[in-house]
């Protein structure tokens, strides 16, 4: 599998990673799925302390035992569970980050994290304090690099200017192209990589995803999603599936170092990793070239329907 450098770091990540949130809570099944992923060339595993109240980190930790050298391990911090209260609170403070990382290390069964990510963020956060926490962990060798997971352009802009983040995890697909307007150009200019999540739009953009379309996606109506699916299927042709074409789309922007589709079965995993063997989309098909190629209906951030070329 092709590997790309993550920002200015020395982390080389396979262009297709695994979003581990989808592996479930049964350890044997989850470990088997992760082992299959590693055997197929995936090395970027993304989890979070939030997923299944830490259980996801535990399963990932069990899976990488004895294979730590094969893995670029990414997890997240910032969501805090308060005993006796429902749900999660948001806490990007330095004391919490310094304490939460210890629990993640314990669950993951490792003494370092390759990529530690702030799991969200608002413009009102104490960013200097948050950055100071990550820098301290980096200097101590607890983490190798840090990044953020965010879809908020103003938050991303601040961290890009004020910190040493090497990556931004951002939702990016044929059906969610908001990042193309500001985020991707900004990060490309600054040499910060994008890890694209949601490349198949919660299953809407895969073969057999018609039922998903019926449930809607973002603010698309079912008729719009079915139209996109029809055109994408025609464009994909016989050599690649709809989902693989959607994955290649997200990878086609030069700011994107990796995509992290989820997989809850071996079949889904095999389908996703097979996209690595498909030639990249040509220049005429890339997302930032809207002058040629099959027409697909997409939304802009203004929530109006626009016609762009794939």
């Amino acid at each position: 599998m092709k590997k790309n450098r993550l920002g200015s770091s020395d982390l080389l990540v396979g262009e297709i990673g695994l979003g581990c949130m989808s592996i479930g809570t049964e350890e044997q099944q989850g470990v088997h799925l992760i082992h299959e992923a590693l055997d197929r060339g995936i090395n970027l595993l993304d989890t979070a302390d939030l997923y299944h109240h830490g259980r996801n980190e535990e399963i990932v930790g069990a899976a990488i035992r004895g294979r730590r050298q094969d893995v670029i391990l990414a997890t997240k911090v910032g969501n805090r569970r308060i005993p006796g209260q429902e749900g999660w609170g948001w806490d990007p403070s330095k004391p919490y980050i310094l304490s939460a990382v210890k629990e993640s290390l314990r669950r993951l069964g490792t003494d370092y994290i390759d990529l530690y990510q702030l799991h969200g963020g608002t413009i009102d956060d104490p960013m200097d304090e948050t950055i100071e926490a990550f820098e301290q962990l980096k200097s101590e060798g607890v983490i190798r690099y840090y990044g953020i997971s965010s879809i908020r352009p103003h938050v991303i802009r601040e961290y890009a200017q004020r910190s040493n983040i090497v990556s931004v995890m951002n939702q990016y697909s044929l059906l969610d192209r908001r990042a193309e307007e500001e985020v991707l150009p900004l990060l490309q200019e600054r040499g910060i990589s994008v890890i694209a999540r949601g490349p198949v739009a919660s299953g809407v953009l895969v073969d057999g995803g018609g039922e998903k379309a019926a449930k809607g996606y973002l603010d698309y109506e079912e008729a719009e999603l079915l139209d996109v699916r029809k055109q994408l299927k025609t464009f994909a042709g016989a050599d690649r599936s709809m989902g693989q074409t959607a994955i290649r789309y997200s990878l086609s922007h030069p700011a994107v170092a990796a995509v992290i589709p989820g997989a809850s079965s071996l079949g889904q995993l095999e389908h996703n990793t097979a996209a690595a063997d498909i030639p990249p989309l040509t220049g005429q098909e890339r997302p930032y070239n809207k002058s040629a190629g099959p027409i697909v209906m997409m939304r802009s951030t203004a929530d109006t329907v626009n016609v762009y070329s794939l």
Side-chain angles (χ1 to χ4, degrees):
M1 183 183 296
K2 180 178 182 288
K3 288 184 169 60
N4 297 315
R5 186 175 301 278
L6 200 63
S8 59
S9 77
D10 60 1
L11 301 177
L12 296 177
V13 296
E15 63 179 0
I16 297 173
L18 178 62
C20 294
M21 183 174 66
S22 62
I23 64 174
T25 57
E26 206 284 313
E27 183 170 316
Q28 184 176 356
Q29 176 182 339
V31 168
H32 176 69
L33 202 59
I34 291 173
H35 284 175
E36 291 288 343
L38 296 177
D39 291 343
R40 284 167 169 76
I42 286 176
N43 72 341
L44 175 60
L45 301 179
D46 177 74
T47 181
D49 57 2
L50 176 70
Y51 301 158
H52 302 117
H53 307 293
R55 179 59 178 154
N56 196 256
E57 285 187 328
E58 292 175 345
I59 294 174
V60 171
I64 65 174
R65 195 171 299 129
R67 304 190 67 170
R68 183 66 180 91
Q69 71 280 1
D70 301 327
V71 174
I72 301 298
L73 182 59
T75 191
K76 308 182 192 75
V77 67
N79 293 285
R80 183 175 189 174
R81 188 168 181 82
I82 302 175
Q85 295 185 16
E86 291 292 328
W88 296 76
W90 176 244
D91 189 349
S93 69
K94 181 178 179 180
Y96 178 66
I97 292 172
L98 297 182
S99 65
V101 72
K102 297 177 183 178
E103 291 302 307
S104 285
L105 291 169
R106 177 185 60 80
R107 288 188 290 264
L108 291 164
T110 186
D111 56 2
Y112 71 96
I113 293 166
D114 296 292
L115 180 66
Y116 204 32
Q117 302 159 102
L118 184 67
H119 202 174
T122 74
I123 201 67
D124 297 320
D125 287 346
M127 290 187 188
D128 290 338
E129 180 181 340
T130 302
I131 294 167
E132 185 177 305
F134 283 117
E135 289 289 348
Q136 178 176 325
L137 292 174
K138 185 178 176 183
S139 67
E140 293 172 350
V142 177
I143 66 174
R144 295 176 67 188
Y145 299 97
Y146 63 97
I148 64 171
S149 176
S150 177
I151 61 172
R152 297 184 172 101
H154 54 304
V155 172
I156 293 170
R157 187 186 311 113
E158 289 297 314
Y159 276 96
Q161 293 173 348
R162 297 162 60 175
S163 76
N164 294 311
I165 59 171
V166 299
S167 64
V168 172
M169 183 172 293
N170 192 271
Q171 184 164 294
Y172 179 47
S173 72
L174 274 165
L175 289 174
D176 190 351
R177 300 172 63 172
R178 292 172 291 179
E180 291 175 12
E181 298 194 11
E182 181 178 349
V183 170
L184 294 182
L186 169 67
L187 297 180
Q188 183 181 1
E189 178 184 354
R190 291 187 172 267
I192 299 169
S193 290
V194 173
I195 300 173
R197 62 178 178 85
V200 295
S202 298
V204 173
L205 298 178
V206 301
D207 293 316
E211 292 184 1
K212 298 281 188 178
K215 298 178 182 179
Y217 183 76
L218 299 178
D219 59 352
Y220 285 93
E221 297 178 358
E222 180 182 3
E224 293 176 303
L225 295 174
L226 292 175
D227 184 46
V228 169
R229 284 178 49 81
K230 179 180 178 180
Q231 295 183 63
L232 181 58
K233 185 173 184 178
T234 299
F235 177 74
D239 297 329
R240 57 193 181 194
S241 72
M242 291 171 54
Q244 289 164 347
T245 304
I247 288 172
R248 294 296 344 166
Y249 179 92
S250 296
L251 281 168
S252 68
H253 197 286
V256 177
V259 298
I260 50 164
S264 58
S265 68
L266 181 58
Q268 290 176 349
L269 179 67
E270 291 174 339
H271 170 270
N272 295 342
T273 54
D277 299 323
I278 296 171
L281 299 185
T282 68
Q284 291 298 311
E285 301 164 329
R286 291 190 174 186
Y288 42 85
N289 182 340
K290 300 184 175 68
S291 61
I295 299 300
V296 176
M297 197 160 59
M298 297 298 147
R299 288 197 188 280
S300 73
T301 54
D303 294 327
T304 57
V305 177
N306 292 284
V307 179
Y308 294 148
S309 67
L310 186 62

